[in-house]
Amino acid sequence: QVQLVESGGGLVQAGGSLRLSCAASGRTFSNYAMGWFRQTPGKEREFVAAISWSGGSTYYADSVKGRFTISRDNAKNTVYLQMNSLKPEDTAVYYCAADRSLQLVRAKVPGYWGQGTQVTVSS
């Protein structure tokens, strides 16, 4: 089992920045690809970003490319999502996810999910 706990969400004005963190426990963190997803009421969960176990490969949704950066610190068992130039349409619950397979993370079917953290961007 892998336990994931997100933090760092909150309320920010449009154009501002937030950094989300996801702390992992339970298994060897460096064996897992990680991802961030987001969801708003009535909509499907949306892929935001993913990172390979080593951090050497990263992937982004077109809607966040150039504004968001995913990174990881395997020594701290933590993955981050730096969000800059935030827009009201970025408002959502953000979820951290993990799987041994990067392909499953990118396919939106990772084996493990966090509980989510709310991000609200005001206009």
Side-chain angles (χ1 to χ4, degrees), residues 1-4 24-29 32 98 100 111-113:
Q1 286 282 1
V2 175
Q3 292 79 42
L4 303 171
S25 62
R27 287 289 186 267
T28 303
F29 179 70
Y32 286 80
R100 284 181 171 269
Y112 303 97
W113 294 95

Side-chain angles (χ1 to χ4, degrees), residues 24-43:
S25 62
R27 287 289 186 267
T28 303
F29 179 70
S30 59
N31 288 344
Y32 286 80
M34 303 295 295
W36 287 96
F37 295 77
R38 64 188 183 188
Q39 189 170 22
T40 54
K43 292 189 175 181

Side-chain angles (χ1 to χ4, degrees), residues 44-122:
E44 288 189 1
R45 196 166 292 188
E46 174 189 20
F47 169 79
V48 175
I51 188 167
S52 62
W53 65 270
S54 68
S57 297
T58 56
Y59 304 88
Y60 297 93
D62 288 343
S63 58
V64 307
K65 207 170 290 183
R67 300 188 299 122
F68 291 11
T69 302
I70 188 170
S71 62
R72 67 190 296 161
D73 185 339
N74 286 345
K76 295 183 178 180
N77 290 356
T78 302
V79 63
Y80 305 97
L81 186 69
Q82 178 67 44
M83 305 185 294
N84 299 330
S85 303
L86 282 161
K87 305 175 182 179
E89 51 264 43
D90 294 318
T91 296
V93 177
Y94 282 72
Y95 296 90
C96 175
D99 200 281
R100 284 181 171 269
S101 168
L102 177 60
Q103 286 68 35
L104 291 181
V105 174
R106 296 184 66 196
K108 300 188 288 185
V109 288
Y112 303 97
W113 294 95
Q115 83 290 349
T117 185
Q118 177 71 46
V119 171
T120 303
V121 184
S122 63

